[in-house]
Each structure stands twice: as structure tokens, then as C-alpha cells.
Amino acid sequence: MNKNDKLAKAYSTFIEVPWSANAAPAQRVIFCVYDEEDERKLRFGMESFRSATREAGHGWEEYDLTDSFAGWLSGHPYAEEYFLEPEYLETVLNGYLDYIVDGFTAFIGEKAPDAGTVVALTGVGSLFGFLKVNAVVEKLAPLVAGRLLVFFPGSCNDNNYRLLDAYDGWNYHAVPIIAGKEY
């Protein structure tokens, strides 16, 4: 059994546990943590997570952030200037966060997932260098009535998450699902 199969099995075991109806938004967040070099394999095997969720009696919706930066920047009135002088891009990245929140809000409005639905967030590795994952999760989690499942390429040790294992992470109290761990 490869790492992604082990991760899907750990997730399957976890998602079968009954959900608390009165959990706060931060308590409804689940991080599936995997090695960043396994991104394509994980995406190819996404059906394992989808099936496990449905077999546990929950709905499934998926939101992908992979192309969000390109979508945001291409619509920005000063995009050409930022291509010429990218160091100034940092001053407007709050607009990128707003763009993600607006897109996710529209997605939630369209799909209308209920309190029994898992909303899977993929493509968070594309945030690297632009936004902190915790800032995005803190904005999106309250919008999800069920569970927000974040597919996280990186590592987690003692609830300290490191995106792409590249820089200092942050402490977040989401439930980490890690390949081979028992739940």
C-alpha cells in the first residue's frame, strides 16, 4: 500500500466517526497532510476520498485553488505593471485573499452544501509565496456548515503545519490526517 492509499485509508477511518453538531468552524477543519512530491498522485487518487466520504453518509464538494492566482492577477487593472515590477505585488495581496473568499462564497452559494457535507479544498500549494494557508482557512472555514477538508502538501508535527516543508509554519488546531496514523 502506497502513501496515498494509506492517507485515504486513514481519512476513511476518520470520516466515519459521527460529527459533533455544535463544533466551531475551526473544529470542523480537517487537513490531509501529504508529501508535496505526491501532489499529482493524490489528485489522481481523489476518488478514494470522495468514495470514502459518500460511504460514510456525507456529501462531497470540491473547490480548487490551483488557478486562483492567475485568475485574480489577470483581472487586476495593474497586472502588466506587476509583471514588470513583481516586488510591488506584495502590497495588494489582500485583494487576492478577498478574491479567493469571494469565489468560495459564490461556490458555496451555488452548491449549497449542508451540515453533512465535506467541502474539499485542493490546490493550496499554489498559495505558496502569496498567502498563508492559515489566513485562507480562517476565512473559508466559517462559510462551510459541514467539514472543510484541506489537502495540504507539506508536514505537520504537533499541530505545527509547514506548507511545502519550505518555511516556518503555524500552529492550527485542525484535525491532521496523516498516512499510517490510526484514528
Side-chain angles (χ1 to χ4, degrees):
M1 185 179 289
N2 67 37
K3 290 183 286 186
N4 286 336
D5 291 340
K6 289 178 184 176
L7 182 63
K9 184 176 180 346
Y11 170 77
S12 178
T13 301
F14 178 81
I15 206 65
E16 291 175 352
V17 174
W19 295 0
S20 171
N22 59 355
Q27 296 170 316
R28 297 189 313 256
V29 178
I30 305 163
F31 273 62
C32 272
V33 181
Y34 58 95
D35 294 336
E36 59 273 11
E37 64 267 7
D38 292 334
E39 177 76 21
R40 288 193 315 233
K41 291 177 189 173
L42 181 114
R43 292 220 186 189
F44 183 74
M46 192 62 68
E47 183 58 37
S48 301
F49 297 91
R50 199 175 295 119
S51 294
T53 303
R54 290 185 176 135
E55 287 172 17
H58 302 293
W60 174 274
E61 296 294 343
E62 195 172 319
Y63 191 78
D64 189 1
L65 293 174
T66 303
D67 296 330
S68 62
F69 183 77
W72 169 72
L73 188 57
S74 67
H76 198 283
Y78 298 108
E80 293 296 325
E81 286 81 354
Y82 291 127
F83 284 123
L84 296 172
E85 299 182 72
E87 63 274 12
Y88 294 114
L89 191 58
E90 187 176 326
T91 63
V92 295
L93 287 177
N94 280 339
Y96 177 35
L97 179 57
D98 294 340
Y99 176 84
I100 290 172
V101 172
D102 291 347
F104 190 78
T105 301
F107 170 82
I108 293 296
E110 176 188 327
K111 300 293 184 176
D114 62 18
T117 300
V118 171
V119 177
L121 188 63
T122 60
V124 299
S126 64
L127 300 175
F128 184 78
F130 301 116
L131 295 173
K132 301 275 187 183
V133 174
N134 67 325
V136 173
V137 169
E138 286 174 0
K139 294 281 191 177
L140 302 186
L143 303 174
V144 177
R147 298 297 183 262
L148 178 63
L149 171 62
V150 180
F151 284 95
F152 186 81
S155 64
C156 175
N157 294 313
D158 298 322
N159 283 359
N160 187 32
Y161 294 86
R162 292 171 50 98
L163 180 63
L164 304 176
D165 269 351
Y167 61 84
D168 288 338
W170 76 97
N171 191 295
Y172 195 77
H173 294 289
V175 176
I177 306 292
I178 299 169
K181 188 174 175 184
E182 296 292 322
Y183 295 92

